[in-house]
Amino acid sequence: VQLQASGGGLVQPGGSLRLSCAASGSIFSINVMGWYRQAPGKQRELVAIISSSGDTNYADSVKGRFTISRDNAKNTVYLQMNSLKPEDTAVYYCNANVRISNANTRYYWGQGTLVTVSS
């Protein structure tokens, strides 16, 4: 199973970006999908997660600005980021809990995509 993230880049404060992460490989189904980020010199932190039924949870720092969504038919999770701030600058990683057989699930990480918010 591979997770391929895309959509990062350089954006000015107040701007928007949309991240995508597509899962591929031997997938029975995908449970929770999420986005994490790691800023320079800091630990990786949760940004947002979404269940297979669409329930969501957000870090307080992004509530009201970021929206997580998923397309189960495409095994893809998205992160719409609006009103971006310099403190949102980080490498963003997608994560998925994938059922790879009837009895087994595993967590997988994407390769990370850099988001830089700067004027």
Side-chain angles (χ1 to χ4, degrees):
V1 175
Q2 291 186 330
L3 301 184
Q4 182 66 46
S6 61
L10 173 64
V11 63
Q12 292 186 341
S16 298
L17 280 175
R18 188 191 194 209
L19 306 183
S20 300
C21 177
S24 61
S26 298
I27 297 171
F28 272 44
S29 62
I30 303 178
N31 299 319
V32 174
M33 303 184 82
W35 289 95
Y36 294 72
R37 67 186 181 185
Q38 187 166 17
K42 295 187 177 182
Q43 290 187 332
R44 191 174 298 189
E45 63 176 3
L46 171 70
V47 176
I49 56 173
I50 184 168
S51 71
S52 57
S53 59
D55 294 327
T56 60
N57 194 19
Y58 296 90
D60 287 343
S61 59
V62 306
K63 283 181 180 178
R65 301 188 298 121
F66 291 10
T67 302
I68 189 170
S69 61
R70 62 190 284 173
D71 184 331
N72 290 331
K74 296 181 179 179
N75 290 332
T76 299
V77 62
Y78 306 96
L79 186 68
Q80 178 66 43
M81 305 184 293
N82 299 328
S83 302
L84 282 160
K85 304 175 181 180
E87 51 263 44
D88 294 318
T89 295
V91 177
Y92 284 70
Y93 299 90
C94 57
N95 176 271
N97 181 238
V98 180
R99 182 168 296 282
I100 56 175
S101 71
N102 284 332
N104 292 315
T105 63
R106 290 185 60 182
Y107 283 95
Y108 293 89
W109 289 94
Q111 84 282 12
T113 184
L114 177 62
V115 172
T116 303
V117 184
S118 175
S119 55

